[in-house]
Amino acid sequence: MTFKELGLSAPILKAIATQGYETPSPIQAKAIPAVLDGRDVMAAAQTGTGKTAGFTLPILENLSTGRRAQANHVRTLILTPTRELAAQVGENVALYSKHMSLTSAVVFGGVKINPQMMKLRKGVDILVATPGRLVDLIDRRALTLSKVEILVLDEVDQMLDLGFIHAIRRLVPLLPQKRQSLFFSATMPREIGALADDLLRFCNLYGGENIACDMYFSCLDGN
Ligand code: AMP
């Protein structure tokens, strides 16, 4: 299996070749075709499995057609629990999209908000954010989520551990109902199943036992 066979196009293939990636990891082999297909995806996966490229590469491909983001709008919203992870995901997005004309930004708390507001003025195709700062930016009218095409929740279990459930619940009604949603978590306790039920299409999770999602897979065991 090659990245090309998974359906990625030349600008992305060039960027991943520069990174030295030769073959897709198991989660990439599963996630890339599903995301390209426009499906909602829920995956049990940890950091270190290559999950960031697993969702970022097909998102870039999907965004490469279609209109660029308009002022104060974002086309893809990636939520992460910590600023470190946000920065890391943002770096990956920038690396993988370097031969494309897509724009991206990273926002998180603990730093001045004004430069982040400036960055959002023209709109960005991909925004990586921590939930608390995102809510602040929305409250200050620095951005609107009404044209989000793809939502990614990364490390959902950590987000819930850090108490971000209220922020996430506040954000969801601001998103268009017609969107693609991707959901990644290392563990799938009942609370996470309930959140997935609300966020994903065709999702019916009950304590992790009754999984009927558009696309669900576990890559915890490396398979
Ligand atoms: P992640 O699980 O997304 O945090 O990725 C873990 C590490 O694996 C990162 O340093 C990536 O650059 C690297 N990586 C991701 N996909 C591949 C791949 N297909 N081949 C080799 N390395 C990869």
Side-chain angles (χ1 to χ4, degrees):
M1 178 67 71
T2 64
F3 283 105
K4 195 174 177 185
E5 284 165 350
L6 291 179
L8 300 172
S9 59
I12 298 175
L13 294 174
K14 196 169 156 191
I16 53 184
T18 310
Q19 292 305 302
Y21 303 175
E22 286 169 4
T23 45
S25 69
I27 190 167
Q28 291 165 359
K30 289 181 182 138
I32 292 172
V35 178
L36 287 177
D37 219 23
R39 289 175 185 232
D40 279 6
V41 167
M42 174 161 189
Q46 280 163 329
T47 299
T49 53
K51 76 174 151 64
T52 313
F55 63 76
T56 305
L57 301 176
I59 285 175
L60 296 175
E61 190 72 48
N62 288 351
L63 294 180
S64 65
T65 53
R67 257 180 97 183
R68 294 287 168 269
Q70 291 167 264
N72 297 100
H73 281 89
V74 296
R75 297 174 68 202
T76 289
L77 174 63
I78 303 175
L79 289 177
T80 70
T82 62
R83 63 160 96 181
E84 290 78 15
L85 187 61
Q88 204 180 308
V89 172
E91 276 169 30
N92 280 298
V93 169
L95 273 176
Y96 303 143
S97 64
K98 72 176 175 188
H99 304 297
M100 306 173 87
S101 58
L102 298 169
T103 54
S104 62
V106 182
V107 295
F108 46 69
V111 295
K112 282 186 186 160
I113 201 165
N114 280 15
Q116 297 179 347
M117 293 174 73
M118 297 286 283
K119 274 198 250 177
L120 296 170
R121 258 199 198 158
K122 284 187 184 164
V124 290
D125 293 310
I126 301 148
L127 179 66
V128 187
T130 51
R133 177 54 58 103
L134 185 72
V135 167
D136 277 357
L137 286 161
I138 291 169
D139 288 346
R140 290 169 190 242
R141 301 187 192 286
L143 87 157
T144 137
L145 302 182
S146 63
K147 289 193 175 145
V148 168
E149 296 162 40
I150 308 172
L151 168 72
V152 182
L153 266 71
D154 195 13
E155 310 217 345
V156 180
D157 44 0
Q158 252 207 75
M159 276 200 263
L160 298 199
D161 285 350
L162 292 171
F164 285 134
I165 187 73
H166 302 296
I168 295 171
R169 293 257 180 226
R170 255 197 75 188
L171 294 170
V172 173
L174 307 178
L175 297 160
Q177 286 213 324
K178 186 176 174 294
R179 60 167 196 268
Q180 186 177 18
S181 307
L182 315 176
F183 198 99
F184 296 87
S185 187
T187 57
M188 293 288 174
R190 195 184 173 124
E191 196 187 6
I192 293 192
L195 185 63
D197 280 348
D198 293 345
L199 285 175
L200 304 173
R201 279 172 289 185
F202 316 123
C203 204
N204 176 21
L205 271 143
Y206 188 73
E209 285 156 23
N210 175 20
I211 294 171
C213 188
D214 204 7
M215 174 62 85
Y216 170 81
F217 48 80
S218 168
C219 285
L220 288 178
D221 49 8
N223 294 311

